[in-house]
Amino acid sequence: MAGGKERKTRASAAQRHQGGIQFQKSKGQHILKNPMLVQTIVQKAGIKSTDIVLEIGPGTGNLTMKLLEVAKKVIAVELDPRMVLELQRRVQGTSSAIRLQVIQGDVLKSELPYFDVCVANIPYQISSPLTFKLLSHRPIFRCAIIMFQREFAMRLVAKPGDNLYCRLSVNTQLLARVSHLLKVGKNNFRPPPKVDSSVVRIEPRNPLPPISFKEWDGMVRLCFNRKNKTLGAIFRQKAILSLLEKNYKTFQALQEAQQKSNESSFGDVSILGDTSNDVSMDIDAGEDQDMDVDDADMQEGASQFKDKVLNILKEGGFEDKRSSKLAQDDFLYLLSLFNKAGIHFN
């Protein structure tokens, strides 16, 4: 076959180029091998000659070498010591060596330095925590160009009414402008993953909306617990009403204590709970999850609180709406209505 010898030659060259490293799929090691695609990603990043670029998961350095051609400096974070050695070997003795800084370690546990642009081909299992780690980084960077598993990428950019529109979509788009750049077939990697990928551009918003993000996430978690149910049905559930009433009473008590002490030491009450690690705002799939509250079974105080919650939804025009159809501004308005009535979600 005409292609037989050619494939063998290419494979041998690739193996020499990468030091014969055995890639581990279990660790998400899928090296981008298409040089045209590498060049396209660098171009999409819009890197300036004065930019410091953070590269996450450089692997054997195919993308790193292209980044070094256009950036002032590249900071590469790599967990695998074999990849670190290969990366250092590739720049050894070149003018690029002094412009490459390699950090060996877990990017999720590492303190990230200052950078202008982030470029990453990451293990798909860290997609969500890495996205929000980047978005919480300060000072704010200009943009991130990241390779994600395609379904995850499409969730990031999904709009109200899309099938993949979810809590991830809402939270990410609250913090950043997100756009889909290109689809990448699995055969562009060595070894090929099981699914296709997509490259996404993330631009952090500056300034951010003046809200408590823990409260925001608490409300959004509840709304997307059953995203295709009406908000009226969701907020009639016994477990949710019970939780909100408990928060309501706690907040009232804090306000009273603060007024008596005449101090502001409590600050933003969102510091009292971190919903990223607290499952208290998640409703377990138990018998109470879809149990609506019957007024006849409620005590007078609980019934009044239920009316309070439902009146907020009615006044804002949200009672018959579904989370899957609501835009960013709708959720912000809904949160403001609840907070104005003294109802909080953290």
Side-chain angles (χ1 to χ4, degrees):
M1 291 177 60
K5 181 177 279 187
E6 182 180 351
R7 281 198 299 271
K8 184 176 179 180
T9 302
R10 287 179 180 172
S12 298
Q15 191 175 37
R16 286 196 304 271
H17 185 62
Q18 294 165 0
I21 293 175
Q22 193 75 23
F23 302 123
Q24 300 174 338
K25 285 187 177 183
S26 62
K27 294 183 178 179
Q29 292 180 344
H30 300 281
I31 307 302
L32 193 58
K33 66 178 184 179
N34 185 335
M36 295 297 294
L37 192 54
V38 169
Q39 187 62 44
T40 298
I41 291 173
V42 174
Q43 290 173 351
K44 295 285 186 182
I47 297 168
K48 304 174 184 177
S49 59
T50 55
D51 281 342
I52 296 175
V53 176
L54 175 70
E55 185 185 9
I56 300 169
T60 56
N62 293 343
L63 182 57
T64 314
M65 301 307 292
K66 288 295 182 182
L67 292 172
L68 285 167
E69 292 178 6
V70 293
K72 176 182 178 181
K73 180 180 180 180
V74 174
I75 302 170
V77 183
E78 174 60 57
L79 179 62
D80 192 332
R82 302 173 306 153
M83 303 294 183
V84 171
L85 290 174
E86 176 64 14
L87 197 56
Q88 292 171 335
R89 185 195 65 79
R90 289 189 70 171
V91 298
Q92 188 176 11
T94 70
S95 59
S96 299
I98 60 172
R99 293 186 294 108
L100 174 64
Q101 176 186 347
V102 182
I103 299 174
Q104 183 181 336
D106 185 339
V107 66
L108 296 179
K109 298 176 182 178
S110 301
E111 183 175 346
L112 300 179
Y114 171 87
F115 62 94
D116 300 293
V117 177
C118 175
V119 180
N121 172 26
I122 62 172
Y124 294 149
Q125 58 266 34
I126 67 169
S127 295
S128 185
L130 177 62
T131 298
F132 289 98
K133 180 180 176 71
L134 289 174
L135 289 174
S136 65
H137 182 73
R138 294 296 180 273
I140 292 177
F141 55 94
R142 190 167 72 247
C143 73
I145 308 297
I146 306 181
M147 182 90 68
F148 291 115
Q149 181 178 336
R150 181 161 176 78
E151 182 176 328
F152 184 89
M154 300 315 292
R155 288 184 184 277
L156 289 182
V157 302
K159 301 300 180 186
D162 293 347
N163 287 336
L164 293 177
Y165 188 62
C166 62
R167 174 175 158 258
L168 174 67
S169 317
V170 174
N171 281 348
T172 306
Q173 293 170 33
L174 176 76
L175 303 176
R177 288 175 291 274
V178 190
S179 55
H180 182 267
L181 297 181
L182 63 146
K183 180 180 177 181
V184 181
K186 54 190 175 183
N187 291 329
N188 289 287
F189 299 89
R190 180 187 299 109
K194 294 181 179 179
V195 295
D196 290 335
S197 303
S198 279
V199 178
V200 169
R201 181 183 182 91
I202 299 175
E203 298 177 69
R205 296 187 187 278
N206 190 17
L208 293 172
I211 61 171
S212 162
F213 298 111
K214 290 171 182 171
E215 272 230 65
W216 164 271
D217 189 54
M219 186 191 73
V220 171
R221 279 178 187 267
L222 291 184
C223 292
F224 278 93
N225 186 45
R226 290 287 186 273
K227 72 175 185 177
N228 290 315
K229 292 186 70 171
T230 65
L231 293 181
I234 290 174
F235 283 92
R236 279 187 174 90
Q237 293 175 35
K238 183 177 180 180
I240 290 179
L241 283 171
S242 176
L243 180 62
L244 291 181
E245 186 175 14
K246 181 180 178 181
N247 288 350
Y248 176 74
K249 291 178 179 178
T250 300
F251 183 75
Q252 294 298 317
L254 286 174
Q255 276 197 321
E256 290 175 8
Q258 187 173 356
Q259 288 170 359
K260 288 178 182 178
S261 65
N262 218 8
E263 297 176 356
S264 59
S265 58
F266 286 106
D268 182 356
V269 296
S270 67
I271 63 173
L272 298 178
D274 183 357
T275 56
S276 61
N277 296 313
D278 185 357
V279 297
S280 63
M281 295 303 296
D282 292 330
I283 306 303
D284 294 333
E287 59 180 3
D288 286 338
Q289 181 158 333
D290 294 311
M291 185 182 294
D292 292 346
V293 177
D294 187 340
D295 289 340
D297 296 331
M298 299 182 70
Q299 296 180 354
E300 183 179 351
S303 180
Q304 290 176 351
F305 184 78
K306 175 190 174 184
D307 292 340
K308 184 182 187 72
V309 170
L310 296 182
N311 283 336
I312 292 171
L313 296 177
K314 289 177 183 177
E315 291 171 9
F318 289 105
E319 187 178 23
D320 297 323
K321 292 186 177 180
R322 292 167 169 79
S323 301
S324 59
K325 308 291 185 183
L326 296 182
Q328 200 77 233
D329 289 344
D330 296 322
F331 285 112
L332 287 168
Y333 180 47
L334 179 58
L335 180 61
S336 72
L337 292 178
F338 275 121
N339 285 174
K340 185 178 179 181
I343 298 175
H344 296 266
F345 293 85
N346 56 333

